[in-house]
Amino acid sequence: MPSVKEVLQSRKSIRAFLPTPVSPALVRELLETASRAPSGGNVQPWKVHVLTGDKLALLSQQAEKNFSLDAATEVPEHRVYPPVLADPYKSRRRDLGQQMYDLIGVARDDRAGKLRQLQRNFEFFGAPVGMMFVLDKDMEPIQW
């Protein structure tokens, strides 16, 4: 079994997947393992919806249909970053983001290219399995 250090050092952020099917048994095993993750107050408030095949394609199609420039600039229900992201965090985020865009050939001033890449989120980056983790709106960030 790998050490925590090995697992952390091998972590990747994947933005393109092969269409290779994933067995339901493997998905179940991953979710059973993940169900042991801690949460504030030990309430494990999440539910998971696993989508494959036609259901995944339908969700992706509907999300793409609803995607627009307006949707990309909407104010989210929950903030991802503080309203004023100060350095060094701001520059780290900007620099890493540009490195990722450089890897896929999207220039800093290519707004359309960046929006196309953002839209790939709704396609699950081509993954054969999509998982939606949902929480009751009454839960606070500490329970997430």
Side-chain angles (χ1 to χ4, degrees):
M1 176 176 278
S3 70
V4 172
K5 179 180 178 181
E6 291 167 332
V7 169
L8 292 173
Q9 289 177 331
S10 67
R11 182 209 171 277
K12 298 177 187 176
S13 183
I14 306 297
R15 296 292 191 271
F17 290 88
L18 297 172
T20 309
V22 178
S23 76
L26 178 57
V27 173
R28 198 172 302 107
E29 179 185 353
L30 291 170
L31 290 173
E32 286 172 1
T33 300
S35 74
R36 305 295 300 166
S39 66
N42 202 33
V43 296
Q44 280 77 21
W46 46 80
K47 289 185 182 181
V48 183
H49 300 274
V50 178
L51 302 159
T52 61
D54 292 341
K55 289 184 180 181
L56 179 61
L58 182 62
L59 176 67
S60 292
Q61 290 168 5
Q62 188 63 44
E64 286 183 60
K65 181 179 167 186
N66 293 338
F67 182 77
S68 69
L69 180 57
D70 291 335
T73 58
E74 283 182 12
V75 176
E77 184 175 350
H78 301 284
R79 289 194 319 240
V80 176
Y81 303 103
V84 177
L85 188 61
D87 273 324
Y89 315 109
K90 181 179 179 179
S91 58
R92 281 182 196 161
R93 180 177 181 267
R94 182 190 62 238
D95 294 346
L96 179 59
Q98 191 54 54
Q99 288 172 24
M100 290 173 55
Y101 284 125
D102 288 344
L103 287 171
I104 59 171
V106 176
R108 181 176 294 278
D109 59 350
D110 183 359
R111 183 164 171 75
K114 289 180 178 183
L115 284 174
R116 277 192 305 277
Q117 184 62 18
L118 175 63
Q119 186 173 3
R120 297 217 53 239
N121 284 281
F122 303 116
E123 301 164 1
F124 294 85
F125 297 100
V129 176
M131 296 185 195
M132 303 293 292
F133 290 77
V134 296
L135 294 106
D136 190 301
K137 285 183 101 140
D138 291 341
M139 291 296 133
E140 297 289 335
I142 195 72
Q143 280 88 46
W144 302 353

